[in-house]
């Protein structure tokens, strides 16, 4: 049975607090506020970056109204919020909960600043990619609420084709008569994130995944499909369908001006396209290597501090976050693609629904610390091959350099 907000009523929370010794509020100021008002049964502190701060404030109002648990939302800078969390949690000055992307999960676990969160029956409510994103070393560490990936965006004025393969897409774009049949950002440093769906369609992935979807530190970039993918990179460079001179701004501008039939991008540029008056559709990324093209997926999630003194209240807050009501509210407030399948299926915006389906079937970006050794070598090697470097030797050197960096 789906759990609603009503189950978190003030009587239930008060009774639980009375039975537990770790339900004190997170700061003396919170305790003073609760005592003076005579209505609060405790307080939680949540850190959120500047893009989510007001959204979490609004969400907290509903939770507080149902439970009488105060939620203090503290605005932090996205650039260093994770490092501040890592440094402050051991001192007892960190928050009870922090909300941000899943790609910091491995670093958080390694530093011992987050605790596992048992999703229980709620796990089945979320897309597979969302659950995998919050899983590390076989344990789930938070509640997901949004997923994000790239997809193929089509200019419907230029074509109405739905290509299944990369070659079909290029042919369709050329038939449309636009300056570029298709654009994808790359830049001189490379962009493995945007290209990853094409790479995965050759069966080549970054790190090995365990049965539960969590990543191991076993590097697999040089494994299955690597030779075919790198040869494909060289061919596309020669054909100019991949171009390191195409930056994110150039790709966006090209598509918005109607000079490309297709673009691989995320929801952010679909919003821009609509604002520019374009009629667009979101499609799955076509396969280049014969297998399903699976893009990287980013998962937005709520983490629990390992040093929280408010375990009972955090648990109640997370139970609330697992409800359709809370997930729907977060979607309305932030406009992101929902991690909860039921909420994603109820969207009225067809493009968002497509992004939800594509992200739900994608591959979560590895959140293990070893991923930090990958990006630079990976992107620059892809650029070198596109520019004509030998695929086999370049890729082998890249894999060796990454492995050496990981082993340090």
């Amino acid at each position: 049975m789906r759990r609603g907000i009503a189950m978190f009523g003030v009587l239930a929370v008060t009774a639980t607090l009375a039975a537990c010794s770790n339900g004190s509020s997170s700061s003396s100021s919170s305790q003073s506020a609760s005592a003076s008002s005579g209505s609060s049964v405790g307080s939680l502190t949540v850190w959120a970056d500047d893009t989510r701060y007001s959204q979490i404030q609004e969400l907290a109002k509903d939770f507080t109204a149902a439970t009488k648990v105060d939620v203090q939302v503290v605005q932090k800078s996205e650039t260093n919020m994770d490092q501040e969390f890592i440094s402050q949690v051991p001192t007892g000055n960190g928050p009870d909960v922090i909300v941000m992307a899943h790609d910091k999960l491995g670093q958080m676990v390694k530093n011992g600043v987050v605790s596992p969160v048992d999703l229980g029956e709620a796990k089945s409510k979320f897309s597979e990619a969302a659950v995998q994103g919050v899983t590390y070393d076989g344990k789930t560490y938070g509640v997901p609420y949004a997923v994000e990936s790239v997809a193929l965006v089509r200019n419907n004025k230029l074509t109405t084709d739905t290509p299944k393969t990369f070659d079909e897409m290029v042919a369709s774009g050329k038939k449309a008569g636009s300056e570029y049949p298709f654009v994808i950002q790359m830049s001189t440093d490379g962009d493995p994130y945007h290209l990853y769906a094409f790479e995965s369609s050759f069966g080549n992935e970054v790190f090995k995944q365990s049965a539960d979807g969590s990543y191991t530190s076993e590097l697999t970039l040089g494994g299955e499909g690597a030779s075919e993918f790198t040869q494909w990179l060289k061919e596309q460079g020669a054909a100019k369908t991949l171009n390191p001179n195409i930056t994110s701004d150039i790709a966006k501008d090209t598509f918005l001006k109607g000079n490309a039939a297709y673009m691989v991008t995320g929801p952010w540029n679909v919003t821009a396209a609509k604002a520019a008056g374009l009629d667009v559709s979101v499609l799955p990324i076509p396969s280049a290597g014969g297998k399903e093209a699976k893009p990287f997926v980013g998962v937005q999630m709520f983490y629990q501090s390992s040093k929280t003194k408010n375990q009972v209240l955090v648990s109640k807050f997370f139970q609330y976050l697992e409800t359709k009501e809370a997930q729907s509210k977060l979607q309305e407030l932030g406009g992101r693609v929902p991690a909860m399948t039921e909420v994603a299926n109820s969207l009225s915006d067809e493009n968002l629904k497509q992004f939800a389906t594509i992200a739900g079937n994608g591959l979560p970006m590895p959140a293990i610390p070893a991923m930090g050794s990958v990006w630079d070598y990976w992107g620059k090697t892809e650029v070198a091959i596109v520019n004509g470097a030998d695929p086999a030797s370049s890729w082998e050197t890249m894999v060796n350099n990454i492995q050496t960096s990981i082993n340090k």
Side-chain angles (χ1 to χ4, degrees):
M1 180 183 297
R2 182 176 56 79
R3 291 171 291 182
I5 299 176
M7 73 170 290
F8 310 113
V10 61
L11 292 178
V13 175
T14 305
T16 307
L17 288 173
C20 300
S21 60
N22 61 348
S24 59
S25 66
S26 59
S27 68
S28 58
S29 59
S30 297
Q31 290 173 336
S32 298
S34 298
S36 62
S37 65
S39 60
S40 176
V41 296
S43 178
L44 290 175
T45 300
V46 179
W47 281 8
D49 63 35
D50 44 12
T51 63
R52 276 175 271 234
Y53 173 66
S54 60
Q55 298 167 24
I56 305 305
Q57 279 187 315
E58 286 299 311
L59 178 76
K61 290 179 181 178
D62 290 347
F63 176 70
T64 299
T67 64
K68 303 301 181 184
V69 176
D70 290 333
V71 180
Q72 298 183 8
V73 185
V74 180
Q75 184 174 359
K76 293 291 180 178
S77 170
E78 184 179 10
T79 57
N80 62 0
M81 182 171 69
D82 58 323
Q83 292 303 315
E84 186 177 358
F85 183 74
I86 289 172
S87 65
Q88 291 299 315
V89 166
T91 71
N93 294 319
D96 300 292
V97 175
I98 187 170
V99 54
M100 58 183 178
H102 88 284
D103 60 338
K104 306 294 184 182
L105 178 55
Q107 186 180 20
M108 298 291 187
V109 175
K110 183 179 179 180
N111 283 277
V113 295
V114 291
S115 293
V117 174
D118 184 7
L119 292 176
E121 294 179 0
K123 182 184 289 189
S124 63
K125 298 180 181 180
F126 299 104
S127 69
E128 182 178 355
V131 173
Q132 289 180 355
V134 302
T135 301
Y136 187 85
D137 198 21
K139 300 177 182 178
T140 51
Y141 278 85
V143 180
Y145 78 91
V147 293
E148 188 172 80
S149 75
V150 295
L152 185 68
V153 180
R154 181 184 69 198
N155 184 330
N156 293 330
K157 182 179 180 180
L158 298 177
T159 180
T160 57
D161 293 341
T162 303
K164 301 299 182 184
T165 69
F166 182 86
D167 290 343
E168 286 178 2
M169 176 188 66
V170 172
S172 172
K174 288 180 177 179
K175 182 180 178 182
S178 54
E179 182 179 355
Y180 297 90
F182 135 90
V183 287
I184 185 171
Q185 68 183 65
M186 194 169 188
S187 84
T188 55
D189 287 330
D191 196 325
Y193 172 80
H194 277 78
L195 281 174
Y196 190 64
F198 296 126
E199 183 170 353
S200 69
S201 75
F202 286 90
N204 196 38
E205 298 182 8
V206 192
F207 290 100
K208 184 178 180 179
Q209 284 182 287
S210 300
D212 62 7
S214 60
Y215 285 95
T216 72
S217 58
E218 181 181 338
L219 189 67
T220 56
L221 271 173
E224 179 187 356
S227 60
E228 291 84 357
F229 170 64
T230 54
Q231 185 60 41
W232 177 82
L233 281 176
K234 186 174 182 178
E235 292 170 357
Q236 301 316 312
K240 300 299 182 184
T241 50
L242 295 181
N243 187 342
N245 293 321
I246 302 293
T247 64
S248 60
D249 288 339
I250 291 174
K252 177 181 178 180
D253 186 62
T254 299
F255 188 77
L256 294 188
K257 288 182 177 178
N259 294 328
Y262 301 96
M263 179 183 185
V264 171
T265 190
W268 49 91
N269 279 333
V270 170
T271 301
K274 288 183 176 180
L278 296 184
D279 176 22
V280 298
S281 292
V282 174
L283 310 172
I285 296 175
S287 174
K291 298 183 179 182
E292 183 180 0
K294 295 185 176 184
F296 268 144
V297 179
V299 181
Q300 304 297 327
M301 62 181 287
F302 290 81
Y303 300 77
Q304 171 183 273
S305 167
S306 61
K307 299 296 183 181
T308 180
K309 297 178 181 178
N310 298 295
Q311 182 62 63
V312 172
L313 300 186
V314 171
S315 295
K316 292 298 179 184
F317 184 55
F318 279 10
Q319 287 172 0
Y320 167 60
L321 292 173
E322 294 167 3
T323 65
K324 180 183 177 182
E325 290 84 355
Q327 295 278 326
S328 297
K329 182 83 169 184
L330 284 165
Q331 197 287 318
E332 294 168 6
L333 292 169
R336 295 176 183 266
V337 177
M340 183 172 282
T341 307
E342 183 180 2
V343 178
N345 291 340
S346 67
L347 292 172
S348 58
D349 187 306
E350 286 301 319
N351 286 334
L352 271 183
K353 288 180 72 171
Q354 272 289 82
F355 270 116
T357 299
I358 293 165
N361 294 325
L363 295 167
M365 190 183 303
I368 57 177
M371 193 65 186
S373 300
V374 174
W375 291 112
D376 187 56
Y377 291 116
W378 194 11
K380 290 178 178 176
T381 301
E382 288 184 342
V383 168
I385 294 173
V386 166
N387 284 336
D390 178 67
S393 61
S394 298
W395 203 255
E396 182 180 6
T397 299
M398 176 201 75
V399 171
N400 290 336
N401 286 336
I402 292 172
Q403 191 64 64
T404 299
S405 180
I406 291 173
N407 292 340
K408 286 182 179 179

